[in-house]
Amino acid sequence: VFSCYSLVNAFQWIQYSILSNVFAGFYGVSFTQIDWLSMVYMVAYVPLILPATWLLDARGLRLTALLGAGLNALGAWLKCGSLAPQRYPLTLAAQAVCAVAQVFILGLPSRVASVWFGPTEVSTACAVAVLGNQLGTAIGFLLPPVLVPNTQNDIDLMAHNIGIMFYGTAIVSTLLFFLTGVVFEEKPKYPPSHSQAVLQTKPPEDYSYKQSIINLFKNIPFILLLISYGIMTGAFYSVSTLLNQMIVTHYEGEEVNAGRIGLTLVVAGMVGSIICGLWLDYTKTYKQTTLIVYILSFIGLLVFTFTLDLGHLIVVFVTGGVLGFFMTGYLPLGFEFAVEITYPESEGTSSGLLNASAQIFGIVFTLVQGKLTTDYSPRAGNIFLCAWIFVGIILTALIKSDLRRHNVNSGIMNLDVKAVPVDSPVEPESTTLKIQSAL
Protein backbone atom coordinates (compact mmCIF):
# COMPACT_ATOMS: atom_id res chain seq x y z
CA VAL A 1 0.00 0.00 0.00
CA PHE A 2 2.81 2.39 0.86
CA SER A 3 4.60 1.66 -2.41
CA CYS A 4 1.39 2.33 -4.37
CA TYR A 5 0.63 5.79 -3.00
CA SER A 6 4.34 6.65 -3.14
CA LEU A 7 4.08 5.70 -6.83
CA VAL A 8 1.24 8.15 -7.45
CA ASN A 9 3.10 10.95 -5.67
CA ALA A 10 6.20 10.42 -7.81
CA PHE A 11 4.02 10.32 -10.93
CA GLN A 12 2.62 13.73 -10.04
CA TRP A 13 6.13 15.09 -9.51
CA ILE A 14 7.40 14.32 -13.01
CA GLN A 15 4.20 14.59 -15.10
CA TYR A 16 4.81 18.29 -15.90
CA SER A 17 8.55 18.15 -16.58
CA ILE A 18 8.40 15.42 -19.19
CA LEU A 19 5.90 17.61 -21.09
CA SER A 20 7.61 20.92 -20.34
CA ASN A 21 7.16 22.27 -23.87
CA VAL A 22 3.47 21.23 -23.93
CA PHE A 23 2.60 22.77 -20.54
CA ALA A 24 4.65 25.90 -21.27
CA GLY A 25 2.49 26.42 -24.36
CA PHE A 26 -0.76 25.51 -22.59
CA TYR A 27 -0.31 27.86 -19.64
CA GLY A 28 1.58 30.50 -21.63
CA VAL A 29 4.57 30.50 -19.28
CA SER A 30 8.34 30.02 -19.57
CA PHE A 31 10.28 26.76 -19.26
CA THR A 32 11.65 28.00 -15.94
CA GLN A 33 8.13 28.32 -14.54
CA ILE A 34 7.39 24.76 -15.66
CA ASP A 35 10.63 23.61 -14.01
CA TRP A 36 9.32 25.11 -10.76
CA LEU A 37 6.43 22.62 -10.89
CA SER A 38 9.09 20.00 -10.27
CA MET A 39 11.32 22.05 -7.98
CA VAL A 40 8.42 22.90 -5.65
CA TYR A 41 8.74 19.30 -4.42
CA MET A 42 12.30 20.05 -3.42
CA VAL A 43 11.58 23.48 -1.95
CA ALA A 44 8.70 22.25 0.23
CA TYR A 45 10.71 19.36 1.61
CA VAL A 46 13.55 21.31 3.19
CA PRO A 47 11.64 23.38 5.82
CA LEU A 48 9.06 20.66 6.52
CA ILE A 49 11.25 17.60 6.97
CA LEU A 50 12.11 18.21 10.64
CA PRO A 51 8.43 18.63 11.69
CA ALA A 52 7.54 15.58 9.58
CA THR A 53 10.21 13.35 11.13
CA TRP A 54 9.20 14.57 14.59
CA LEU A 55 5.62 13.56 13.78
CA LEU A 56 6.79 10.15 12.56
CA ASP A 57 8.73 9.55 15.78
CA ALA A 58 6.05 10.97 18.08
CA ARG A 59 2.85 9.70 16.42
CA GLY A 60 4.05 6.73 14.44
CA LEU A 61 3.78 5.18 11.00
CA ARG A 62 0.02 5.03 10.57
CA LEU A 63 -0.73 8.75 11.02
CA THR A 64 2.24 9.73 8.84
CA ALA A 65 1.07 7.36 6.11
CA LEU A 66 -2.48 8.74 6.23
CA LEU A 67 -1.19 12.32 5.90
CA GLY A 68 0.95 11.39 2.91
CA ALA A 69 -1.86 9.57 1.11
CA GLY A 70 -4.49 12.18 2.00
CA LEU A 71 -2.52 15.23 0.86
CA ASN A 72 -1.56 13.37 -2.28
CA ALA A 73 -5.25 12.90 -3.15
CA LEU A 74 -6.09 16.52 -2.26
CA GLY A 75 -3.40 17.90 -4.54
CA ALA A 76 -4.56 15.66 -7.38
CA TRP A 77 -8.14 16.98 -7.12
CA LEU A 78 -6.95 20.61 -7.02
CA LYS A 79 -5.15 20.04 -10.32
CA CYS A 80 -8.50 19.15 -11.89
CA GLY A 81 -9.52 22.78 -11.37
CA SER A 82 -6.52 24.12 -13.31
CA LEU A 83 -7.60 22.96 -16.78
CA ALA A 84 -7.45 26.38 -18.44
CA PRO A 85 -4.54 28.41 -19.87
CA GLN A 86 -4.88 31.18 -17.26
CA ARG A 87 -4.64 28.86 -14.26
CA TYR A 88 -0.93 28.27 -13.84
CA PRO A 89 -1.00 29.64 -10.23
CA LEU A 90 -3.66 27.04 -9.30
CA THR A 91 -1.73 24.15 -10.78
CA LEU A 92 1.38 25.39 -8.93
CA ALA A 93 -0.59 25.51 -5.66
CA ALA A 94 -1.92 21.99 -6.29
CA GLN A 95 1.59 20.75 -6.98
CA ALA A 96 2.71 22.38 -3.72
CA VAL A 97 0.12 20.30 -1.82
CA CYS A 98 1.50 17.16 -3.49
CA ALA A 99 4.97 18.36 -2.50
CA VAL A 100 3.91 18.52 1.16
CA ALA A 101 2.53 14.98 0.81
CA GLN A 102 5.97 13.89 -0.39
CA VAL A 103 7.46 15.02 2.93
CA PHE A 104 5.42 12.30 4.65
CA ILE A 105 6.45 9.68 2.08
CA LEU A 106 10.16 9.86 1.24
CA GLY A 107 11.41 9.17 4.76
CA LEU A 108 9.28 6.08 5.34
CA PRO A 109 10.99 3.25 3.36
CA SER A 110 13.74 2.52 5.89
CA ARG A 111 11.30 2.88 8.83
CA VAL A 112 8.72 0.54 7.26
CA ALA A 113 11.49 -1.95 6.45
CA SER A 114 12.99 -1.86 9.96
CA VAL A 115 9.67 -2.07 11.82
CA TRP A 116 8.13 -4.85 9.73
CA PHE A 117 11.00 -6.99 8.42
CA GLY A 118 13.77 -9.16 9.87
CA PRO A 119 17.55 -8.61 9.55
CA THR A 120 17.87 -10.84 6.44
CA GLU A 121 15.02 -9.01 4.70
CA VAL A 122 15.35 -5.39 5.72
CA SER A 123 17.55 -4.11 2.87
CA THR A 124 15.43 -5.86 0.25
CA ALA A 125 12.25 -4.50 1.87
CA CYS A 126 13.68 -0.97 1.83
CA ALA A 127 14.59 -1.39 -1.84
CA VAL A 128 11.03 -2.52 -2.66
CA ALA A 129 9.57 0.44 -0.74
CA VAL A 130 11.81 2.81 -2.72
CA LEU A 131 10.84 0.87 -5.84
CA GLY A 132 7.27 2.19 -5.68
CA ASN A 133 8.52 5.78 -5.91
CA GLN A 134 10.82 4.90 -8.79
CA LEU A 135 8.02 3.10 -10.62
CA GLY A 136 5.87 6.22 -10.25
CA THR A 137 8.62 8.26 -11.86
CA ALA A 138 8.85 5.67 -14.65
CA ILE A 139 5.11 5.83 -15.32
CA GLY A 140 5.36 9.63 -15.13
CA PHE A 141 7.88 9.49 -17.96
CA LEU A 142 5.83 7.05 -20.04
CA LEU A 143 2.13 7.96 -19.75
CA PRO A 144 1.89 11.79 -20.01
CA PRO A 145 3.44 12.03 -23.52
CA VAL A 146 0.97 9.34 -24.66
CA LEU A 147 -2.07 10.88 -22.94
CA VAL A 148 -1.22 14.50 -23.83
CA PRO A 149 0.24 14.78 -27.35
CA ASN A 150 1.57 18.16 -28.45
CA THR A 151 -1.50 19.82 -30.03
CA GLN A 152 -0.51 23.48 -29.68
CA ASN A 153 -2.91 24.49 -32.45
CA ASP A 154 -5.92 23.04 -30.57
CA ILE A 155 -5.94 24.24 -26.95
CA ASP A 156 -9.38 22.73 -26.24
CA LEU A 157 -8.20 19.27 -27.24
CA MET A 158 -5.06 19.75 -25.14
CA ALA A 159 -7.18 20.72 -22.11
CA HIS A 160 -9.34 17.62 -22.66
CA ASN A 161 -6.27 15.35 -22.77
CA ILE A 162 -4.73 16.95 -19.69
CA GLY A 163 -8.08 16.52 -17.92
CA ILE A 164 -8.03 12.77 -18.59
CA MET A 165 -4.62 12.56 -16.93
CA PHE A 166 -5.55 14.78 -13.96
CA TYR A 167 -8.92 13.14 -13.18
CA GLY A 168 -7.48 9.64 -13.55
CA THR A 169 -4.71 10.49 -11.09
CA ALA A 170 -7.20 12.00 -8.62
CA ILE A 171 -9.44 8.91 -8.64
CA VAL A 172 -6.54 6.49 -8.14
CA SER A 173 -4.98 8.56 -5.33
CA THR A 174 -8.34 8.81 -3.54
CA LEU A 175 -8.84 5.04 -3.64
CA LEU A 176 -5.33 4.57 -2.22
CA PHE A 177 -6.06 7.02 0.60
CA PHE A 178 -9.08 4.95 1.69
CA LEU A 179 -7.08 1.75 1.30
CA THR A 180 -4.35 3.19 3.52
CA GLY A 181 -6.93 3.95 6.22
CA VAL A 182 -8.25 0.40 6.10
CA VAL A 183 -5.12 -1.74 6.00
CA PHE A 184 -2.11 0.30 7.17
CA GLU A 185 -1.04 -0.82 10.66
CA GLU A 186 1.41 0.74 13.08
CA LYS A 187 3.67 -2.29 13.73
CA PRO A 188 3.57 -6.10 13.88
CA LYS A 189 2.56 -7.92 17.06
CA TYR A 190 6.10 -9.15 17.71
CA PRO A 191 9.39 -7.33 16.88
CA PRO A 192 10.96 -8.84 13.73
CA SER A 193 14.59 -8.33 14.87
CA HIS A 194 16.77 -7.95 17.95
CA SER A 195 17.47 -4.31 17.09
CA GLN A 196 13.73 -3.54 17.02
CA ALA A 197 13.23 -5.43 20.27
CA VAL A 198 15.89 -3.27 21.93
CA LEU A 199 14.31 -0.05 20.65
CA GLN A 200 10.80 -1.11 21.73
CA THR A 201 11.97 -1.82 25.30
CA LYS A 202 13.15 1.76 25.72
CA PRO A 203 10.64 3.93 27.62
CA PRO A 204 9.24 6.77 25.45
CA GLU A 205 10.52 9.34 27.91
CA ASP A 206 14.08 8.21 27.18
CA TYR A 207 13.79 9.40 23.59
CA SER A 208 14.65 12.99 22.73
CA TYR A 209 14.09 14.15 19.15
CA LYS A 210 16.36 17.16 19.68
CA GLN A 211 19.13 14.95 21.07
CA SER A 212 18.71 12.56 18.14
CA ILE A 213 19.30 15.43 15.70
CA ILE A 214 22.36 16.55 17.68
CA ASN A 215 23.74 12.99 17.72
CA LEU A 216 23.34 12.69 13.95
CA PHE A 217 25.17 15.95 13.28
CA LYS A 218 28.01 14.83 15.57
CA ASN A 219 28.34 11.62 13.55
CA ILE A 220 31.10 12.39 11.01
CA PRO A 221 30.45 9.35 8.76
CA PHE A 222 26.79 10.37 8.58
CA ILE A 223 27.70 13.96 7.64
CA LEU A 224 29.88 12.68 4.81
CA LEU A 225 27.06 10.42 3.65
CA LEU A 226 24.58 13.30 3.99
CA ILE A 227 26.55 15.38 1.50
CA SER A 228 27.41 12.56 -0.91
CA TYR A 229 23.82 11.25 -0.93
CA GLY A 230 22.56 14.77 -1.60
CA ILE A 231 24.92 15.15 -4.56
CA MET A 232 23.94 11.86 -6.21
CA THR A 233 20.19 12.12 -5.64
CA GLY A 234 20.12 15.82 -6.45
CA ALA A 235 21.84 15.02 -9.75
CA PHE A 236 19.18 12.39 -10.46
CA TYR A 237 16.41 14.92 -9.74
CA SER A 238 18.04 17.45 -12.04
CA VAL A 239 18.50 14.97 -14.92
CA SER A 240 14.88 13.81 -14.54
CA THR A 241 13.52 17.36 -14.52
CA LEU A 242 15.51 18.50 -17.56
CA LEU A 243 15.43 15.27 -19.59
CA ASN A 244 12.72 16.54 -21.95
CA GLN A 245 14.70 19.69 -22.71
CA MET A 246 17.91 17.72 -23.27
CA ILE A 247 16.30 15.26 -25.67
CA VAL A 248 14.19 17.81 -27.60
CA THR A 249 17.27 20.04 -28.06
CA HIS A 250 18.99 17.35 -30.13
CA TYR A 251 15.94 15.41 -31.36
CA GLU A 252 13.16 17.87 -32.21
CA GLY A 253 9.59 16.57 -31.95
CA GLU A 254 10.62 13.47 -29.96
CA GLU A 255 8.59 14.16 -26.80
CA VAL A 256 7.23 10.59 -26.71
CA ASN A 257 10.70 9.09 -27.04
CA ALA A 258 11.97 11.48 -24.35
CA GLY A 259 9.38 9.91 -22.06
CA ARG A 260 10.45 6.43 -23.11
CA ILE A 261 14.09 7.25 -22.42
CA GLY A 262 13.05 8.46 -18.96
CA LEU A 263 11.13 5.21 -18.49
CA THR A 264 14.20 3.22 -19.50
CA LEU A 265 16.34 5.20 -17.06
CA VAL A 266 14.00 4.54 -14.12
CA VAL A 267 13.10 0.91 -14.90
CA ALA A 268 16.79 0.08 -15.15
CA GLY A 269 17.21 1.84 -11.80
CA MET A 270 14.44 -0.27 -10.28
CA VAL A 271 16.31 -3.40 -11.29
CA GLY A 272 19.46 -1.88 -9.81
CA SER A 273 17.66 -1.11 -6.54
CA ILE A 274 16.43 -4.68 -6.10
CA ILE A 275 19.82 -6.18 -6.96
CA CYS A 276 21.59 -3.82 -4.54
CA GLY A 277 19.04 -4.60 -1.78
CA LEU A 278 19.50 -8.36 -2.20
CA TRP A 279 23.27 -7.93 -2.32
CA LEU A 280 23.31 -5.91 0.93
CA ASP A 281 21.14 -8.47 2.75
CA TYR A 282 23.57 -11.17 1.65
CA THR A 283 26.93 -9.45 2.19
CA LYS A 284 26.39 -6.44 4.51
CA THR A 285 29.11 -4.65 2.49
CA TYR A 286 27.48 -1.24 2.74
CA LYS A 287 30.43 1.06 2.13
CA GLN A 288 32.03 -1.02 -0.61
CA THR A 289 28.77 -1.40 -2.53
CA THR A 290 27.88 2.28 -2.15
CA LEU A 291 31.30 3.41 -3.39
CA ILE A 292 31.30 1.07 -6.41
CA VAL A 293 27.79 2.16 -7.44
CA TYR A 294 28.83 5.82 -7.04
CA ILE A 295 31.85 5.35 -9.34
CA LEU A 296 29.79 3.50 -11.95
CA SER A 297 27.16 6.28 -11.85
CA PHE A 298 29.90 8.82 -12.58
CA ILE A 299 31.11 6.77 -15.56
CA GLY A 300 27.51 6.30 -16.75
CA LEU A 301 26.83 10.06 -16.70
CA LEU A 302 30.05 10.77 -18.61
CA VAL A 303 29.10 8.28 -21.32
CA PHE A 304 25.52 9.66 -21.47
CA THR A 305 26.86 13.23 -21.77
CA PHE A 306 29.22 12.60 -24.68
CA THR A 307 26.87 10.34 -26.67
CA LEU A 308 23.70 12.45 -26.33
CA ASP A 309 24.29 14.47 -29.52
CA LEU A 310 25.40 11.64 -31.84
CA GLY A 311 22.04 11.67 -33.63
CA HIS A 312 21.09 8.08 -32.74
CA LEU A 313 18.23 7.73 -30.25
CA ILE A 314 18.98 4.05 -29.68
CA VAL A 315 22.36 5.07 -28.21
CA VAL A 316 20.58 7.47 -25.82
CA PHE A 317 18.24 4.65 -24.75
CA VAL A 318 21.18 2.38 -23.93
CA THR A 319 23.29 4.99 -22.13
CA GLY A 320 20.22 6.28 -20.27
CA GLY A 321 19.46 2.75 -19.09
CA VAL A 322 23.02 2.23 -17.83
CA LEU A 323 22.96 5.60 -16.07
CA GLY A 324 19.61 4.84 -14.44
CA PHE A 325 20.70 1.36 -13.30
CA PHE A 326 23.43 2.81 -11.11
CA MET A 327 22.17 6.32 -10.28
CA THR A 328 18.64 5.24 -9.27
CA GLY A 329 19.93 1.99 -7.79
CA TYR A 330 21.95 4.09 -5.35
CA LEU A 331 18.88 5.50 -3.56
CA PRO A 332 18.08 2.56 -1.20
CA LEU A 333 21.81 2.03 -0.61
CA GLY A 334 22.07 5.47 0.97
CA PHE A 335 19.04 4.86 3.20
CA GLU A 336 20.30 1.53 4.52
CA PHE A 337 23.90 2.69 4.92
CA ALA A 338 22.65 5.63 7.00
CA VAL A 339 20.58 3.39 9.28
CA GLU A 340 23.58 1.14 9.85
CA ILE A 341 26.03 3.90 10.82
CA THR A 342 23.52 5.86 12.96
CA TYR A 343 21.70 3.09 14.92
CA PRO A 344 19.97 3.42 17.41
CA GLU A 345 18.86 6.83 16.11
CA SER A 346 15.49 6.90 14.36
CA GLU A 347 15.45 5.66 10.76
CA GLY A 348 12.88 8.32 9.89
CA THR A 349 15.16 11.11 11.11
CA SER A 350 18.27 9.92 9.26
CA SER A 351 16.27 9.26 6.08
CA GLY A 352 14.57 12.64 6.36
CA LEU A 353 17.88 14.48 6.62
CA LEU A 354 19.25 12.54 3.64
CA ASN A 355 16.23 13.54 1.58
CA ALA A 356 16.50 17.16 2.70
CA SER A 357 20.09 17.20 1.48
CA ALA A 358 18.94 15.68 -1.82
CA GLN A 359 16.26 18.35 -2.25
CA ILE A 360 18.70 21.20 -1.58
CA PHE A 361 21.22 19.86 -4.07
CA GLY A 362 18.37 19.09 -6.48
CA ILE A 363 17.17 22.70 -6.45
CA VAL A 364 20.66 24.11 -7.01
CA PHE A 365 21.58 21.53 -9.66
CA THR A 366 18.30 21.98 -11.57
CA LEU A 367 18.63 25.77 -11.63
CA VAL A 368 22.29 25.74 -12.67
CA GLN A 369 22.02 22.85 -15.12
CA GLY A 370 18.87 24.37 -16.62
CA LYS A 371 20.67 27.69 -17.12
CA LEU A 372 23.69 25.99 -18.68
CA THR A 373 21.47 23.87 -20.93
CA THR A 374 19.49 26.90 -22.13
CA ASP A 375 22.42 29.28 -22.59
CA TYR A 376 25.01 26.80 -23.88
CA SER A 377 24.09 23.13 -24.42
CA PRO A 378 22.94 19.99 -22.54
CA ARG A 379 26.58 18.86 -22.52
CA ALA A 380 27.64 21.88 -20.43
CA GLY A 381 24.93 21.14 -17.86
CA ASN A 382 25.85 17.44 -17.64
CA ILE A 383 29.56 18.17 -17.23
CA PHE A 384 28.63 20.40 -14.29
CA LEU A 385 26.89 17.39 -12.68
CA CYS A 386 29.83 15.09 -13.45
CA ALA A 387 32.18 17.38 -11.53
CA TRP A 388 29.95 17.26 -8.46
CA ILE A 389 29.51 13.49 -8.60
CA PHE A 390 33.30 13.16 -8.64
CA VAL A 391 33.35 15.13 -5.37
CA GLY A 392 30.73 12.69 -4.02
CA ILE A 393 33.01 9.74 -4.83
CA ILE A 394 35.78 11.27 -2.70
CA LEU A 395 33.42 11.91 0.22
CA THR A 396 32.03 8.37 0.07
CA ALA A 397 35.56 6.93 0.14
CA LEU A 398 36.23 8.87 3.38
CA ILE A 399 33.26 7.34 5.26
CA LYS A 400 34.31 4.99 8.06
CA SER A 401 31.80 2.14 8.23
CA ASP A 402 30.51 1.11 11.67
CA LEU A 403 27.62 -1.32 11.20
CA ARG A 404 25.86 -0.77 14.53
CA ARG A 405 22.46 -2.28 13.70
CA HIS A 406 24.09 -5.33 12.12
CA ASN A 407 26.19 -5.86 15.24
CA VAL A 408 23.11 -5.78 17.48
CA ASN A 409 21.21 -8.22 15.28
CA SER A 410 24.27 -10.50 15.27
CA GLY A 411 24.32 -10.48 19.06
CA ILE A 412 27.77 -8.88 19.30
CA MET A 413 28.52 -7.69 22.85
CA ASN A 414 30.27 -4.51 23.80
CA LEU A 415 32.16 -5.05 27.06
CA ASP A 416 33.42 -2.02 28.94
CA VAL A 417 35.10 -3.22 32.15
CA LYS A 418 36.92 -0.96 34.56
CA ALA A 419 39.56 -3.09 36.29
CA VAL A 420 40.13 -2.70 40.05
CA PRO A 421 43.24 -4.11 41.81
CA VAL A 422 42.30 -7.03 44.04
CA ASP A 423 44.07 -5.59 47.06
CA SER A 424 42.34 -2.20 46.81
CA PRO A 425 39.98 -1.36 49.70
CA VAL A 426 36.93 -0.60 47.60
CA GLU A 427 33.26 -1.17 48.15
CA PRO A 428 31.47 -3.51 45.70
CA GLU A 429 29.24 -0.76 44.38
CA SER A 430 32.25 1.31 43.31
CA THR A 431 33.29 -1.32 40.79
CA THR A 432 31.99 -0.58 37.30
CA LEU A 433 30.93 -3.46 35.10
CA LYS A 434 28.84 -2.52 32.06
CA ILE A 435 27.67 -5.22 29.68
CA GLN A 436 25.53 -4.18 26.74
CA SER A 437 23.89 -6.91 24.73
CA ALA A 438 20.78 -7.22 22.61
CA LEU A 439 20.39 -10.90 23.48
Side-chain angles (χ1 to χ4, degrees), residues 1-12 41 65 68-70 72-73 105 108-109 112 125 127-137 139-140 168-180 183-184:
V1 171
F2 167 75
S3 293
C4 285
Y5 75 74
S6 177
L7 179 155
V8 176
N9 185 259
F11 174 84
Q12 296 199 80
Y41 264 57
N72 200 43
I105 294 173
L108 260 63
V112 172
V128 173
V130 173
L131 192 72
N133 202 266
Q134 295 172 354
L135 182 58
T137 304
I139 297 173
T169 305
I171 291 169
V172 171
S173 58
T174 302
L175 290 175
L176 287 170
F177 170 62
F178 286 117
L179 191 59
T180 303
V183 306
F184 206 98

Side-chain angles (χ1 to χ4, degrees), residues 409-431:
N409 284 327
S410 301
I412 297 174
M413 292 183 179
N414 172 24
L415 300 178
D416 181 11
V417 180
K418 181 178 179 180
V420 180
V422 293
D423 56 349
S424 297
V426 295
E427 298 298 323
E429 57 268 19
S430 67
T431 302

Side-chain angles (χ1 to χ4, degrees), residues 157-194:
L157 177 59
M158 187 181 292
H160 172 75
N161 293 332
I162 294 173
I164 292 174
M165 179 170 68
F166 282 175
Y167 278 103
T169 305
I171 291 169
V172 171
S173 58
T174 302
L175 290 175
L176 287 170
F177 170 62
F178 286 117
L179 191 59
T180 303
V182 172
V183 306
F184 206 98
E185 298 181 30
E186 182 65 36
K187 60 184 177 181
K189 185 176 181 180
Y190 301 108
S193 64
H194 294 305

Side-chain angles (χ1 to χ4, degrees), residues 54 59 83 130 136 245 247 299 310 341 402 404 414 437-438:
W54 172 85
R59 296 289 181 257
L83 294 171
V130 173
Q245 295 177 44
I247 301 301
I299 295 172
L310 293 182
I341 62 179
D402 179 15
R404 302 179 183 184
N414 172 24
S437 173

Side-chain angles (χ1 to χ4, degrees), residues 197-229:
V198 170
L199 291 177
Q200 291 183 21
T201 58
K202 287 187 175 182
E205 57 270 17
D206 285 357
Y207 175 76
S208 167
Y209 180 72
K210 179 181 177 181
Q211 187 59 46
S212 178
I213 296 290
I214 293 172
N215 292 342
L216 288 174
F217 279 104
K218 286 181 177 179
N219 187 326
I220 300 302
F222 177 72
I223 295 299
L224 293 173
L225 180 62
L226 187 70
I227 299 171
S228 61
Y229 182 90

